Amino acid sequence: MPSPSYLQPLVAPLRFLAQSDFARLSTVKGLDRLVKTALEAARAARSGGDVQLLERVAQALERGGAESPQEALRALAPRVREAEASSRAPDAARPPTTAPRQEVQGGPRPTSTRAAPSPTSARSSLTAESRSTDASRRSGAARQPPETADAAVPSGTTSSGTAGGSARRKKARAQGSLLDEPRPDRRKARSARASPEPEVEEVARPIAAAPRQGPLSQPIGGSGIRVPPRLVEGLNKKGLERVGDLLFLLPRTYEDRRRLSTLRELRPGERGVAVGTVRMARDLMIRPGKRGFQAVLADETGSIALTWFQSGPWMRSRVPVGKRLIVSGELRATPGGREMVHPEIEPADEGSGPSLHTGRIVPVYPGFERHEQRQVRALVARVAAMHLGAVEDPLPEELRRRLALPSLGEALARIHQPAADDDLASLEDHRSPAHRRLAFDELFLLHLGMALRRQGVKHEPGIAFQVDGDRLANARALLPFTLTRAQARAVAEIGRDMARPEPMHRLLQGDVGSGKTAVAAVAAALAVEDGWQVALMAPTEILAAQHHATFARVLGKAGVEVTLVTGSGTGSEKRRAREAVESGRARIVVGTQALIQEGIAFEKLGLVLIDEQHRFGVLQRQALGHKGRRPDVLVMTATPIPRTLAMTLYGDLDLSVLDELPPGRTPITTRVATANRQPEVWEAVELELRKGRQAYVLYPLVEASEKIDLADATRGAEELQARWSHRRVQLLHGRLKQEEKDAVMAAFRRGEVDVVVCTTVVEVGVDVANASVMVIQNAERFGLSQLHQLRGRVGRGAAASFCYLLPSFASGPDARVRLEVLEQSTDGFVIAEKDLELRGPGEFLGTRQSGLPELSVANLARDQALSAVAAEEAKAIAASDPRLTRPEHRGLLRALEERWEGRLSLAQVG
Ligand code: ADP
Ligand code: MG
């Protein structure tokens, strides 16, 4: 796979974004510009696959795009990573034509090594271009006498007024020295570059646990600490308004200043902290009207240049000749000498002992420029000194001691001012004991909220259905098969719940095809038998239609009317359906989200069934619950959610698991096929078709790139029809009218269509036993769990069945490795765990999942063990003191209210 240079500028921002599961998108400014530039280049290079990927991202980034930018970026990421990898490889192999370190450090300045790229960083074509112009410019400059200093500053130049070649040379050097990856702290520098770079800018956001009441809620300016009004203003602009916001502002990273390097010890390509004296300072002409600033910093071992590409009159006062400064930043070895671009500078303390800023590990705060760090650090330290005593620890003392957690005050103090012997790496990874404590709080309050919510719900009176052995037997007898043991167990649990006066809140979790729908049908029959209405909500219209058919088949035998309510259909159809629901004629109502939209009132809703729960947020679930008087709720999920995550997401639900498939299934054989193996895939499909079986060919479809995706699917259908002219190939996608979709699916079910080429509208739940093979195009664009669900559409009968995953040609090796998990396992739980591990919870759950408090320090994938402990402790407290009335729980109650921002309706519990 060739690695086009236009992807290079995306490497660093995507790497940065990937760290947060693409959640911190808003922190990268200018990404759209960058993507557009790459897109144009990809178009010019006629790289169809890249054009497609980049177009998706561009569209998603535009406001109003329906696909989330995160998803589009996720699809692009493997490709960019690949570009990154292949750009490194050749560089590493290249002989070191670049100025080696020693040469740069000491001896005469090399003059003609400029054309070779430095091995340390990935380059974009744009920077490569500037590099070559650079080289040509520099050839003129090469005749300059070698400098005496090893810093990249020509001796004796003092002002920006230097004329002609010299100024150009400086400009050239200014660009050359920036030939590296964008860094958050290099923001300003980028304006001097030819290539558009995004401005990576983290948001200064206190972790969600910052108290909203009490002494810590006083405004920063009025807290007894004198803060310059301009600073207050600046902080407020970043959303830091209260004292607590500063205390709970989690450092982005840390810098090890326990030992300062000598200038000679600084290594090119590495960050370092050193101290030295300013020997020379001057303005730099970047271009007419734009000034930079450069200084030489020296100690007894050598000197380096400090370069800023944006400057103002303040620079001279900040970097006066003769001043001792601490500088920190990444050292670059340029042929012009060693330099730091936009270093963080701080005046060196006159005393030699350790201070807040030196001789220790210092925090680096998000949302602030490097040169602002000192001021913020000092302010946070003052606030901490004054207010940490007022920090109330929400955790009961006993719990804290038992788990050996530091107090909240101690943890906060340590986070802002680590001890000398703290482990730098664990601080940076937010894994230090202090960070663990904060993470525990987040998880604990999350679980406690869940546990209380569940109890709160439980304590409200609901419906006690009449469920007895006869009714159960009758309901089960409606099914054309015997329940599996797992199904029987689930039915018994559900029956027991339904008979109780408290509302049922149960999650029915089971792999695709494990028979959840059958269990739900039994529950529905029980409710209907007792005179109640049942609502079933499905995520897609096709799935709703299928459930409608299933329920009508199963319960129709008992004379029950089953109605379908969806967003589509004519006005009069909708009116008729609504009327049937309101009058109570329809006993079972199947629908999509349309069910929770207004206008539908039930006559007597008693049971709510929700399929594929994870697509609906917790809040939507509640909305449907409110349509009745606390109906029983059964949530079915086909995504086997890893245990810890399930506890977090569904902590307010009881759990039934179907861990057994109905008899007579043969496992699906899954293969990942690369481009050159595709002919074999189509032959294998043809083989199945010849046996009279049917096939799915699936294309991912996301709305933002709908046109492209649809075009793909359409073209795919045409190609297959051309290949198999004697077969019936049908296209099915979301843009079709409901009747058309229904017609295609019905024909497929009747066996009148051999191959259905579809976008993911068909996604889950479609049940055609004769379909034995599925081909999934651009498979890397799906999550593993989603793929696992999709392939569950085949293998529903006894015939051996197959699933072929075809990654798009633009996907990288990572994608392949990920997809191979599906070759190896058919266990939905194993796959879900893997998926979670590989993609992180944000992606695993999809971006829409919400209704839960945010986690800033804790990471559900990484902190599973901690989360389990937190859940257990939370459960114990919820059980022993459900109203949190004990004095030792008072702090918890307050913290919960703040954390959940009222979503818990704690009024009910406390
Ligand atoms: P899920 O909803 O978990 O994906 P379904 O309830 O749709 O699974 O069941 C998948 C298929 O298996 C359906 O065709 C269904 O009729 C069949 N099925 C379900 N339970 C049994 C059973 N106990 N014995 C035989 N077939 C079953
Ligand atoms: Mg199902």
Side-chain angles (χ1 to χ4, degrees), residues 550-885:
T550 307
F551 276 65
R553 199 168 56 235
V554 172
L555 287 125
K557 279 187 263 177
V560 177
E561 179 166 338
V562 184
T563 299
L564 183 65
V565 175
T566 60
S568 54
T570 65
S572 67
E573 276 168 0
K574 285 186 191 168
R575 213 169 322 114
R576 229 175 309 130
R578 198 182 310 149
E579 189 271 322
V581 179
E582 283 169 13
S583 70
R585 192 156 36 81
R587 301 317 292 168
I588 297 183
V589 186
V590 184
T592 55
Q593 269 126 313
L595 271 185
I596 56 168
Q597 273 128 31
E598 62 263 58
I600 305 265
F602 288 81
E603 186 240 348
K604 198 185 174 195
L605 181 61
L607 175 67
V608 172
L609 305 167
I610 301 178
D611 194 6
E612 313 297 348
Q613 144 71 18
H614 75 286
R615 298 158 158 277
F616 305 115
V618 172
L619 300 178
Q620 270 166 306
R621 196 167 78 209
Q622 285 177 346
L624 189 50
H626 289 146
K627 292 262 174 192
R629 244 202 56 234
R630 303 192 210 304
D632 278 8
V633 177
L634 179 69
V635 177
M636 297 175 268
T637 177
T639 306
I641 292 181
R643 214 172 56 85
T644 29
L645 209 51
M647 282 209 297
T648 313
L649 285 176
Y650 305 122
D652 57 340
L653 299 180
D654 294 305
L655 184 65
S656 293
V657 179
L658 300 184
D659 50 6
E660 181 187 4
L661 292 181
R665 303 275 171 87
T666 28
I668 305 160
T669 308
T670 300
R671 289 285 166 264
V672 182
T674 41
N676 52 345
R677 309 294 295 273
Q678 290 195 11
E680 294 165 45
V681 170
W682 298 118
E683 278 161 32
V685 174
E686 199 166 338
L687 204 66
E688 288 300 302
L689 295 178
R690 254 188 251 138
K691 288 191 228 159
R693 309 235 183 267
Q694 292 160 283
Y696 294 100
V697 177
L698 238 94
Y699 284 82
L701 178 131
V702 272
E703 280 167 82
S705 55
E706 201 173 310
K707 271 190 220 136
I708 301 166
D709 290 342
L710 265 183
D712 275 3
T714 311
R715 201 173 344 100
E718 282 164 7
E719 281 169 15
L720 289 182
Q721 185 64 77
R723 171 192 274 267
W724 297 313
S725 51
H726 55 298
R727 306 269 180 215
R728 290 148 302 179
V729 179
Q730 273 286 356
L731 182 64
L732 178 61
H733 58 75
R735 280 284 182 84
L736 297 177
K737 291 207 197 75
Q738 189 58 39
E739 299 89 73
E740 294 171 305
K741 288 191 256 184
D742 291 346
V744 175
M745 268 331 283
F748 191 60
R749 220 170 268 142
R750 287 194 302 266
E752 291 161 11
V753 167
D754 301 296
V755 182
V756 59
V757 177
C758 45
T759 56
T760 29
V761 274
V762 192
E763 205 165 287
V764 269
V766 188
D767 198 4
V768 178
N770 190 46
S772 63
V773 56
M774 176 178 281
V775 179
I776 303 181
Q777 299 275 15
N778 302 340
E780 82 283 354
R781 280 171 58 183
F782 295 98
L784 292 183
S785 287
Q786 205 183 358
L787 287 168
H788 177 63
Q789 284 186 43
L790 289 170
R791 73 176 168 181
R793 299 305 110 208
V794 295
R796 300 222 129 192
S801 39
F802 305 90
C803 175
Y804 297 100
L805 304 176
L806 310 186
S808 65
F809 75 92
S811 69
D814 286 5
R816 245 201 94 85
V817 170
R818 195 164 69 88
L819 293 176
E820 277 164 7
V821 172
L822 289 163
E823 284 187 352
Q824 288 143 21
S825 179
T826 51
D827 183 330
F829 283 91
V830 171
I831 289 160
E833 288 281 358
K834 200 76 196 165
D835 210 10
L836 179 63
E837 186 187 309
L838 290 171
R839 298 194 303 163
E843 273 184 83
F844 181 84
L845 297 170
T847 45
R848 253 175 303 173
Q849 176 62 48
S850 81
L852 296 173
E854 228 175 302
L855 300 176
S856 316
V857 197
N859 172 332
L860 281 175
R862 183 192 67 188
D863 299 332
Q864 299 211 2
L866 192 68
S867 178
V869 173
E872 202 156 297
E873 297 293 344
K875 247 198 216 154
I877 289 189
S880 70
D881 184 16
R883 290 169 176 276
L884 298 182
T885 46

Side-chain angles (χ1 to χ4, degrees), residues 165-451:
S166 177
R168 269 207 315 278
R169 176 162 47 91
K170 267 173 266 161
K171 179 186 175 187
R173 202 178 282 141
Q175 289 177 343
S177 61
L178 279 170
L179 290 172
D180 60 359
E181 297 164 3
R183 290 248 168 197
D185 49 333
R186 301 260 166 95
R187 225 163 1 131
K188 300 274 170 61
R190 271 178 229 118
S191 52
R193 301 186 59 159
S195 77
E197 289 290 354
E199 298 182 356
V200 177
E201 178 188 317
E202 325 86 346
V203 181
R205 199 173 46 118
I207 62 176
R212 293 284 172 264
Q213 292 160 13
L216 298 187
S217 66
Q218 16 176 355
I220 288 171
S223 62
I225 293 174
R226 279 194 43 213
V227 189
R230 267 194 57 185
L231 180 56
V232 174
E233 211 176 286
L235 292 168
N236 289 353
K237 258 197 212 132
K238 296 182 200 291
L240 304 170
E241 290 167 357
R242 288 162 289 201
V243 170
D245 292 341
L246 284 179
L247 285 183
F248 283 82
L249 180 64
L250 190 69
R252 169 168 66 80
T253 184
Y254 293 84
E255 193 161 277
D256 192 352
R257 297 191 186 169
R258 284 173 292 195
R259 199 190 143 271
L260 300 181
S261 311
T262 63
L263 292 179
R264 182 163 293 278
E265 281 169 339
L266 293 174
R267 311 228 141 220
E270 288 174 17
R271 292 197 66 90
V273 189
V275 64
T277 307
V278 180
R279 287 283 171 241
M280 179 194 306
R282 59 176 193 129
D283 290 337
L284 207 68
M285 256 284 274
I286 305 293
R287 63 179 132 79
K290 175 134 182 95
R291 268 183 199 189
F293 190 80
Q294 199 165 45
V296 171
L297 191 78
D299 68 2
E300 55 295 344
T301 66
S303 65
I304 61 170
L306 311 176
T307 308
W308 287 266
F309 292 95
Q310 199 173 57
S311 166
W314 67 87
M315 279 313 291
R316 279 200 180 276
S317 59
R318 222 185 266 161
V319 189
V321 173
K323 177 110 180 155
R324 262 168 68 76
L325 290 179
I326 299 169
V327 295
S328 88
E330 186 181 323
L331 189 78
R332 312 285 317 163
T334 73
R338 289 149 44 94
E339 79 175 338
M340 271 190 195
V341 176
H342 287 219
E344 182 186 349
I345 52 164
E346 295 184 10
D349 297 297
E350 290 319 319
S352 52
S355 77
L356 195 56
H357 309 288
T358 43
R360 64 186 312 152
I361 300 175
V362 298
V364 179
Y365 292 98
F368 296 93
E369 297 276 344
R370 275 283 170 166
H371 68 81
E372 297 170 321
Q373 291 292 334
R374 184 186 176 89
Q375 205 180 14
V376 178
R377 196 181 302 131
L379 179 60
V380 172
R382 272 156 67 212
V383 168
M386 186 142 175
H387 293 285
L388 269 185
V391 171
E392 190 189 351
D393 198 326
L395 291 190
E397 181 72 8
E398 181 276 325
L399 172 70
R400 196 174 69 66
R401 287 193 187 284
R402 188 157 39 80
L403 299 180
L405 293 168
S407 76
L408 183 54
E410 283 162 4
L412 290 173
R414 200 67 170 252
I415 273 179
H416 295 298
Q417 292 171 41
D421 56 351
D422 276 353
D423 177 38
L424 185 71
S426 62
L427 284 169
E428 283 175 340
D429 297 349
H430 292 179
R431 281 186 294 108
S432 77
H435 286 97
R436 303 293 291 167
R437 157 69 212 241
L438 298 183
F440 180 84
D441 281 17
E442 286 187 332
L443 294 166
F444 180 68
L445 292 175
L446 179 66
H447 287 299
L448 186 58
M450 283 290 193

Side-chain angles (χ1 to χ4, degrees), residues 480-484 487 510-519 546-547 553 611-612 636 638 658 662-663 665 765 767 793 796:
F481 41 70
T482 332
L483 295 180
T484 64
Q487 282 173 318
D511 222 336
V512 206
S514 57
K516 296 180 294 295
T517 314
V519 171
Q546 184 177 300
H547 280 316
R553 199 168 56 235
D611 194 6
E612 313 297 348
M636 297 175 268
L658 300 184
R665 303 275 171 87
D767 198 4
R793 299 305 110 208
R796 300 222 129 192

